[in-house]
Amino acid sequence: MPHNDITEESPLLRDMSKVHERHAHGLASDDEVHGVALAPETAQEGDIVQAYDDSRKIGITGAVFLILNKMIGTGIFSTPSGIFAATGSVGVSLMLWLIGGVLTFCGLSVFLEFGLAIPLSGGEKNYLERVYRHPRYLATCVLASQMILLGFSSGNSLAFGRYILFASGSTEPDGWTARGLGVVCVTFAIVLHATLPKWGLRLVNVLGIFKVIILLLIVFSGFAALAGRRLVPDPHNFDNAFNFYEGDGWGGGGAYAYAQALLRIIYSYKGWENANYVIGELRHPRKTLAIAAPIAIGGVTILYILANVAYFAAISKEDLATSEVIVAGVFFRNVFGDSAAARSLPVFVALSNLGNVLAVSFAHARLNQEFGKEGLLPFSKFWASIKPFNAPAPALFLHWIVTVIVLVAPPAGPAYNFIVDLYTYPGAWINGFVAAGLIYLHWKKSENWTSPWHSYLPITLLYLLANIFLALVPFIPPDGDWNAEGYPYFVFPVVGVGVLFLGAIYWVCWTKIWPAIGGYRVEAHRIVDENGVEVIRYRKVDVKHL
């Protein structure tokens, strides 16, 4: 049972809770939700008051870099190896990257429609609550389980450690040294966001520019490699590009391998939804989101495809399939040699990974905080707090705990691919339900659904079908070794689905068992005034007399 300081509910709070209830049923306007005047006497002792000044609001440029930093992280510098290893075909690998970009734009269309209609921080949380209202809170609990337990920064933190080691000349794989450096990376990000939030966002923007420069360096170096300027023989990867090749432990995969490859590509594209998590901190949220998201995603899609062309221009099939996390490091070595200057380039990739960790921790902490604001978590008042630096330090700490556990829990050996698959897979279920929910809102006229953005049925349906494919196919046994990745093929889908079921079990405890034992439950009520000042008050509801 969540433990919180409980205060009596004021008449204004009752009115506001009714507005939020009407909004959840599609009957209240956004103006009603945000335009309730907050009387000075409303905020009482024990309430949580959250107000961010305009200097903390994120504009179009900041939103672009917030999305860029989440999207451009470990993925494009590491996952191309696993994708080619799964397919064994240069042409098919490039096609899958293009398909990933198309699916990302389809997902953007779905999230834009929801986000512009419900401009509140929390992303999928708000969208699922709008559609799946019965049983109440079930969708929220399932999402909370996925986002809190699997919304980690472990993959990017581990890649940070791997690239730092590669730059130092070490060939150590995903060992404890790399994981230790990963812990240092995520700890720095959390402490910075918790104590100096303005500087955290500034560093996100700076590293966002830096990431684009690194990707452009890879792209233009790839053009040079295509022209013959490389220090290794021509790999001839574009000769008969759509042929299929097999090697020791790579190539020849079936439907399972393609689903796994597409999951890793989607992992590389993940982050396009980042601004949806922090809409409450955007300046002019509807305009900012509608402009920033397409710019960021379009630019990243083009850079990703060109970067893969660059890799294939300078790395042989065998080296590419077995390079794992450090594929960009192998590329720099083949193009620039093994000099100290060339080894320093992977440091820049490590800084890019740091930027991703900063962006992920910033956004996911806000989502963790939203769950605290809803009274959904034990000690909700603590997780919703922004003391002492006007930043969600407790929610950031929760993100740190989960990230470190996932970093150190896997046994010694290659852990990166497992972390990537585990991070990405449950999102396919969540995104599938979001897409299905939007189709339902369009079909059910009594829902009175309207939004400044309209996602057409073929786009939403394609996004739904893609997520169904990604959710179900990993349960099909692969054609080759069932333990090719060092663990049974079914581990990550079973764990992913298990985490979602854990959310359902928590819902039973939170809404049924604990209230039956204690005779009450804790509910959170929020007031947001026209200036964006938010007051959160927790109160006991006597379920025996409901």
Side-chain angles (χ1 to χ4, degrees), residues 63-353:
V64 168
F65 284 119
L66 190 64
I67 297 171
L68 281 176
N69 256 311
K70 178 64 162 58
M71 292 183 72
I72 305 174
T74 309
I76 190 58
F77 304 119
S78 303
T79 56
S81 171
I83 291 153
F84 176 70
T87 62
S89 170
V90 175
V92 170
S93 296
L94 291 174
M95 288 296 296
L96 286 177
W97 280 97
L98 179 60
I99 291 172
V102 171
L103 292 179
T104 299
F105 271 104
C106 292
L108 172 64
S109 180
V110 172
F111 273 60
L112 273 178
E113 179 161 349
F114 272 116
L116 298 185
I118 312 173
L120 302 171
S121 295
E124 299 100 315
K125 171 187 173 296
N126 301 313
Y127 316 151
L128 293 173
E129 287 176 348
R130 173 64 178 83
V131 180
Y132 304 100
R133 298 190 293 271
H134 305 290
R136 193 180 182 191
Y137 298 125
L138 175 59
T140 306
C141 288
V142 171
L143 179 66
S145 180
Q146 186 243 338
M147 286 296 183
I148 293 174
L149 298 180
L150 299 180
F152 43 73
S153 301
S154 307
N156 291 288
S157 300
L158 177 59
F160 173 87
R162 286 295 305 273
Y163 271 100
I164 291 294
L165 289 175
F166 184 82
S168 69
S170 172
T171 57
E172 182 181 344
D174 295 344
W176 297 114
T177 304
R179 299 186 197 191
L181 290 170
V183 172
V184 172
C185 172
V186 70
T187 302
F188 169 78
I190 295 303
V191 171
L192 182 62
H193 280 318
T195 58
L196 299 168
K198 289 183 181 179
W199 283 100
L201 279 177
R202 288 168 183 167
L203 187 55
V204 165
N205 290 343
V206 170
L207 292 177
I209 298 172
F210 190 73
K211 289 181 177 191
V212 175
I213 293 174
I214 292 295
L215 263 183
L216 288 173
L217 175 62
I218 291 176
V219 169
F220 286 112
S221 298
F223 290 149
L226 285 172
R229 295 183 178 274
R230 56 184 173 269
L231 300 179
V232 294
D234 186 351
H236 295 287
N237 285 327
F238 297 107
D239 299 343
N240 303 312
F242 284 91
N243 282 0
F244 292 88
Y245 300 90
E246 293 185 34
D248 185 14
W250 59 272
Y256 176 87
Y258 279 81
Q260 199 173 39
L262 195 54
L263 271 174
R264 291 170 186 174
I265 288 174
I266 288 174
Y267 172 80
S268 300
Y269 278 103
K270 275 190 73 66
W272 53 268
E273 73 278 51
N274 217 26
N276 289 69
Y277 293 152
V278 296
I279 286 181
E281 295 183 43
L282 297 181
R283 188 180 298 117
H284 309 301
R286 287 190 173 95
K287 176 183 176 183
T288 299
L289 186 62
I291 296 175
I295 290 175
I297 294 171
V300 168
T301 301
I302 294 171
L303 288 173
Y304 276 10
I305 294 173
L306 293 178
N308 273 275
V309 171
Y311 293 145
F312 284 119
I315 306 176
S316 68
K317 296 179 181 65
E318 293 75 13
D319 287 345
L320 185 64
T322 57
S323 59
E324 295 181 348
V325 183
I326 53 173
V327 59
V330 175
F331 171 81
F332 288 137
R333 184 188 63 198
N334 289 358
V335 174
F336 299 105
D338 200 24
S339 64
R343 286 200 301 270
S344 68
L345 289 173
V347 174
F348 300 149
V349 178
L351 289 175
S352 173
N353 292 329

